[in-house]
Amino acid sequence: MNKYIGPIFWDIGGTARGYPKAGADWACWQGQLYNTNGTLANGDGYATTVQCSNAYIAEINSFGKGIVLMHDPYSYALGSTVDMVKDMVPKLKALGYTFVRADKVPDILALLGCDPSCATCSGTQTDECLTCGPTAYLAGGSCVACTVCAATEFTKVACTATANTVCETCTTCAAGKFPETACSAAADTVCTTCEGSCATCTGPLATDCGTCLAGKYKSATGCLACSTCKPGSTMTAACGPASDTMCTVCPPGTTSDGIDPCTPVVVDAGAGDASKLDAAENADASTGTFDASFGTDASRNDAGAQSPPGDGCSTANGGQAPSVAAISLALAFALRRRRRTAA
């Protein structure tokens, strides 16, 4: 025993021979068991198995606990230690005693020492721990180191005496939110909504915007709505993440709807002629030549019909041919009337 677990300092049996309250097992079987008054037990110093086990139980009761020394006798005339143990154990259990191996006795463990992983133990092995230190938990008799959560995790449930740490991954704030309180070893991230114009942000203010929502660009004061080019100008640079739309006025003779490139202006030829005719008509009215030269076509035609045959160019105004300007004006007036009638 000393070789395997160290010295065992027994305190019950071995030398006591005060029968019937004590009895060394070797004395029971070798005729050396004496009564407390000094006389030989049973007259010859020998005891039966039951008598010897009862003497041991009486001695154990006087201590209340202890290490019992028992060994086989040199002769088996009246009994043996094995028979005595078989008789004692049921009686001691009935009295409330329990039994452990010698290396599990607390006093011996104190000499032997627990495995370094244990705080207290029932033996010297790693799987014989009873309790663990503050950084370990008990699992199947062994002390296992508590898990330490990673930098991207927080402790949802702390390690206990019998259960490991429960770690959970830190929350990453979604788009449109920012971490008002960062993830720590003991608590998850607290996310808060960004100011309404921000797509991402670092805080609750408009000036904390990191990027803007679609249709906006970032400025020193926050996210602003992108401008649109007015008609008559064209876009030279689109609205970007950090700059507004750039517009340029179209050169003379060109135009744009504000989106497409500048293109030449298309003039309606018919509308242009009508304006010119209006101007000519107004000028004639002011000089009084329009009615004189064109309003009496019928009289001139009649007069021409009565004139003597000639070159066909005679008129009622003395036979002189009408001027080119008068003919052009007459054609223009006729064309104007035709347009108005068609309209």
Side-chain angles (χ1 to χ4, degrees):
M1 296 289 286
N2 185 60
K3 176 181 178 181
Y4 292 103
I5 64 171
I8 298 176
F9 302 102
W10 52 269
D11 49 15
I12 298 174
T15 58
R17 293 181 291 176
Y19 184 83
K21 294 184 177 180
D25 58 354
W26 56 269
C28 292
W29 322 133
Q30 293 187 5
Q32 299 180 20
L33 184 65
Y34 289 85
N35 294 317
T36 53
N37 60 9
T39 60
L40 289 173
N42 295 327
D44 57 4
Y46 289 94
T48 64
T49 298
V50 173
Q51 288 177 324
C52 198
S53 66
N54 287 340
Y56 258 91
I57 291 172
E59 189 173 354
I60 291 170
N61 285 334
S62 66
F63 282 88
K65 64 178 181 178
I67 299 174
V68 181
L69 175 63
M70 303 183 76
H71 49 288
D72 286 333
Y74 297 109
S75 64
Y76 300 92
L78 299 175
S80 70
T81 300
V82 173
D83 293 330
M84 188 169 65
V85 168
K86 289 180 179 180
D87 183 71
M88 288 174 58
V89 168
K91 294 177 179 177
L92 288 171
K93 283 186 174 181
L95 293 173
Y97 288 96
T98 57
F99 302 87
V100 297
R101 290 185 344 220
D103 61 348
K104 299 293 190 289
V105 176
D107 291 341
I108 295 176
L109 283 175
L111 296 175
L112 298 177
C114 296
D115 182 84
S117 64
C118 309
T120 61
C121 59
S122 61
T124 59
Q125 304 303 310
T126 58
D127 60 350
E128 295 180 317
C129 300
L130 295 176
T131 59
C132 306
T135 60
Y137 66 99
L138 189 65
S142 299
C143 287
V144 182
C146 295
T147 296
V148 177
C149 297
T152 56
E153 300 176 324
F154 69 96
T155 302
K156 187 173 183 180
V157 180
C159 190
T160 66
T162 57
N164 194 14
T165 312
V166 177
C167 299
E168 193 165 293
T169 302
C170 294
T171 296
T172 299
C173 295
K177 294 180 180 289
F178 70 96
E180 183 175 358
T181 303
C183 189
S184 66
D188 194 11
T189 313
V190 177
C191 297
T192 300
T193 303
C194 298
E195 192 274 335
S197 63
C198 304
T200 61
C201 65
T202 57
L205 304 177
T207 52
D208 295 325
C209 291
T211 57
C212 302
L213 296 173
K216 298 180 183 294
Y217 69 97
K218 185 179 178 183
S219 71
T221 59
C223 290
L224 302 179
C226 294
S227 300
T228 56
C229 297
K230 296 180 179 179
S233 64
T234 186
M235 183 174 64
T236 56
C239 188
S243 60
D244 196 8
T245 309
M246 298 295 291
C247 303
T248 300
V249 177
C250 290
T254 64
T255 189
S256 173
D257 59 1
I259 300 175
D260 296 326
C262 296
T263 57
V265 176
V266 177
V267 179
D268 184 351
D273 291 345
S275 63
K276 292 176 183 177
L277 293 175
D278 287 341
E281 181 180 356
N282 292 335
D284 291 342
S286 64
T287 59
T289 60
F290 179 81
D291 289 339
S293 62
F294 189 76
T296 57
D297 284 344
S299 61
R300 288 201 300 272
N301 288 338
D302 290 341
Q306 296 171 6
S307 299
D311 57 6
C313 292
S314 299
T315 63
N317 60 359
Q320 296 180 353
S323 68
V324 175
I327 295 172
S328 298
L329 183 59
L331 291 173
F333 186 78
L335 179 62
R336 178 177 177 80
R337 282 190 174 178
R338 186 176 297 172
R339 277 200 193 129
R340 287 181 177 171
T341 300

